[in-house]
Amino acid sequence: MKILLINPPLSAEEQHNPVVANLFSNAMPLGILYIASYSIERGLNVRAIDAPAERLSLDETMARIKKFSPDLIGITTTTPVFHRAIALARAVKDWAPQLPIVVGGPHINAAPITSMLHDCFDIGCIGEGEETFYELATALGRGESPDHIHGLIFRHSSGS
């Protein structure tokens, strides 16, 4: 299973706003790096993209996603930039509607129910994600349901 963890890109407007580009988006996304390290140590094929640090646009980020062709995507987000996570997840779903997208980070922890109202997210990872995300990836890789994994919240379409 190929896994891609992403800190979503800044919009064109945000890239030109020095406060956003240099203050809010210059911290390393430690959460996805911890998850990547934990999962790699246990044998999973994980890559990470820090789009703001690499100054990638949404289109450039999508090109990297398509080139890697992951089986599972994790997107980290904080509340001030939740709109970027949504934009990226929607672009991914337009390209690969069945590709599972997991949202994690501070925003999903603060607002799990409203975060999962966005149909571009399939699963939310609540709390510390290292073990939870690894268990999720392992279950999905085996074709098993992840419904039993503690720390996950699911978006189910109506009638499911």
Side-chain angles (χ1 to χ4, degrees), residues 29-130:
L30 292 178
I32 63 171
L33 298 177
Y34 289 145
I35 291 169
S37 175
Y38 186 91
S39 296
I40 289 168
E41 287 176 356
R42 285 153 184 79
L44 297 182
N45 182 7
V46 182
R47 301 288 180 270
I49 297 174
D50 184 357
E54 295 185 58
R55 298 195 182 276
L56 298 175
S57 68
L58 180 59
D59 289 342
E60 291 167 327
T61 304
M62 282 304 301
R64 296 262 303 269
I65 292 168
K66 291 174 183 178
K67 183 176 181 183
F68 185 63
S69 189
D71 302 301
L72 177 63
I73 288 184
I75 300 174
T76 187
T77 187
T78 59
T79 300
V81 296
F82 185 58
H83 64 282
R84 288 195 276 132
I86 293 168
L88 177 61
R90 285 183 178 154
V92 170
K93 287 295 187 183
D94 286 345
W95 169 63
Q98 299 306 313
L99 182 60
I101 298 179
V102 181
V103 62
H107 182 78
I108 186 78
N109 284 281
I113 303 301
T114 57
S115 297
M116 296 310 295
L117 294 176
H118 297 275
D119 63 0
C120 53
F121 301 123
D122 301 300
I123 304 168
C125 190
I126 310 295
E128 298 299 321
E130 295 88 346

Side-chain angles (χ1 to χ4, degrees), residues 135-136 138-148:
E135 289 177 32
L136 169 65
T138 302
L140 293 176
R142 287 188 234 151
E144 299 172 358
S145 170
D147 288 347
H148 66 282

Side-chain angles (χ1 to χ4, degrees), residues 5-33:
L5 302 174
I6 307 167
N7 186 21
L10 297 171
S11 68
E13 296 81 22
E14 290 167 327
Q15 289 180 10
H16 292 96
N17 179 325
V19 174
V20 174
N22 297 312
L23 181 60
F24 294 127
S25 299
N26 65 353
M28 282 189 274
L30 292 178
I32 63 171
L33 298 177

